[in-house]
Amino acid sequence: GESVGLHLPTLSVQEGDNSIINCAYSNSASDYFIWYKQESGKGPQFIIDIRSNMDKRQGQRVTVLLNKTVKHLSLQIAATQPGDSAVYFCAENFENAGNMLTFGGGTRLMVKP
Amino acid sequence: GAVVSQHPSWVICKSGTSVKIECRSLDFQATTMFWYRQFPKQSLMLMATSNEGSKATYEQGVEKDKFLINHASLTLSTLTVTSAHPEDSSFYICSARVLTLNRNEQFFGPGTRLTVL
């Protein structure tokens, strides 16, 4: 079946550097993508989303890029802080599949002080 | 943003007992709630979709008689793990959905950690 996956299971960055977390998806019909942050022992927290008719969306310190040609999604975190340390999941939504979310495997971001 | 709560946050039980987990949307009404299971160092796996006033829809491989879901109101869904066994030990997370014109917003609860001895 189709799925969402991640390239890197663990990403270690220095505090203050920029972080890039990648995600590959295989369902070309997915119309909506979301990035979630999950801290240990907690539920996922919404970070930013993007619809399939957009290439880029910016939030506070975060940017999501969508490349539909290669079915790739990335999350960029500017000036990474220790509080950004968590597991990050991308999720895809396909409206014709009942608007359910399919989650990728997750990337653990570790920020070194 | 919208708040979703879960109760209990952590439960330890003996093998063979049943455990009920509650999921509540605190400041909004959710016609649809989702139940996920997450094993250590793994992603969230959807177990079932719970619609208010109707039977839940279970994902392939999830036993409906073992994981009983009741969505009795627009703010409450419950998941009961019946005759729990050690392999059911996991982190159970619910989410509540608000569909808008522009996106499918799901708000997640804090999760319930179940440990079956």
Side-chain angles (χ1 to χ4, degrees):
Chain A
E2 299 187 307
S3 63
V4 177
L6 291 172
H7 297 298
L8 300 174
T10 303
L11 176 65
S12 184
V13 299
Q14 201 70 38
E15 181 180 358
D17 288 350
N18 296 333
S19 302
I20 300 176
I21 300 172
N22 297 302
C23 177
Y25 65 94
S26 55
N27 186 350
S28 57
S30 290
D31 49 19
Y32 176 57
F33 304 87
I34 311 169
W35 279 102
Y36 287 95
K37 172 186 179 183
Q38 186 180 27
E39 297 176 79
S40 181
K42 297 182 179 179
Q45 178 185 2
F46 173 91
I47 300 174
I48 192 168
D49 59 357
I50 188 169
R51 292 203 65 86
S52 59
N53 60 354
M54 300 172 67
D55 297 323
K56 178 179 179 179
R57 190 158 189 236
Q58 286 185 296
Q60 187 177 15
R61 279 202 310 119
V62 294
T63 300
V64 56
L65 298 177
L66 176 62
N67 186 331
K68 294 181 288 293
T69 302
V70 295
K71 288 182 277 189
H72 185 267
L73 191 70
S74 69
L75 175 69
Q76 300 179 1
I77 304 174
T80 312
Q81 302 169 359
D84 294 328
S85 295
V87 177
Y88 290 81
F89 294 96
C90 65
E92 64 177 332
N93 174 87
F94 178 38
E95 185 173 345
N96 286 351
N99 281 312
M100 293 187 296
L101 291 177
T102 301
F103 282 82
T107 293
R108 178 172 297 281
L109 176 64
M110 300 176 64
V111 182
K112 296 177 288 186
Chain B
V3 180
V4 175
S5 70
Q6 281 184 239
H7 178 80
S9 57
W10 187 29
V11 57
I12 302 174
C13 69
K14 293 182 178 180
S15 183
T17 60
S18 295
V19 177
K20 179 186 284 188
I21 303 170
E22 293 184 349
C23 177
R24 293 181 185 272
S25 57
L26 297 186
D27 50 2
F28 68 101
Q29 293 183 328
T31 54
T32 303
M33 291 184 174
F34 300 89
W35 286 97
Y36 296 84
R37 181 167 50 184
Q38 185 179 33
F39 292 106
K41 299 182 180 180
Q42 294 189 21
S43 187
L44 283 74
M45 296 298 296
L46 180 66
M47 298 176 66
T49 302
S50 169
N51 292 298
E52 187 267 337
S54 63
K55 291 183 179 180
T57 302
Y58 290 82
E59 294 301 298
Q60 190 174 8
V62 179
E63 299 175 56
K64 63 179 181 180
D65 295 329
K66 180 170 181 61
F67 299 99
L68 301 179
I69 292 173
N70 185 297
H71 194 156
S73 76
L74 289 172
T75 59
L76 173 64
S77 177
T78 61
L79 169 69
T80 301
V81 183
T82 62
S83 187
H85 291 283
E87 57 266 29
D88 298 323
S89 298
S90 187
F91 194 50
Y92 291 86
I93 305 172
C94 73
S95 71
R97 185 174 76 188
V98 177
L99 272 177
T100 66
L101 286 177
N102 295 318
R103 59 189 189 187
N104 168 19
E105 300 192 58
Q106 284 192 33
F107 301 95
F108 286 83
T112 297
R113 184 161 303 283
L114 171 64
T115 301
V116 185
L117 303 177

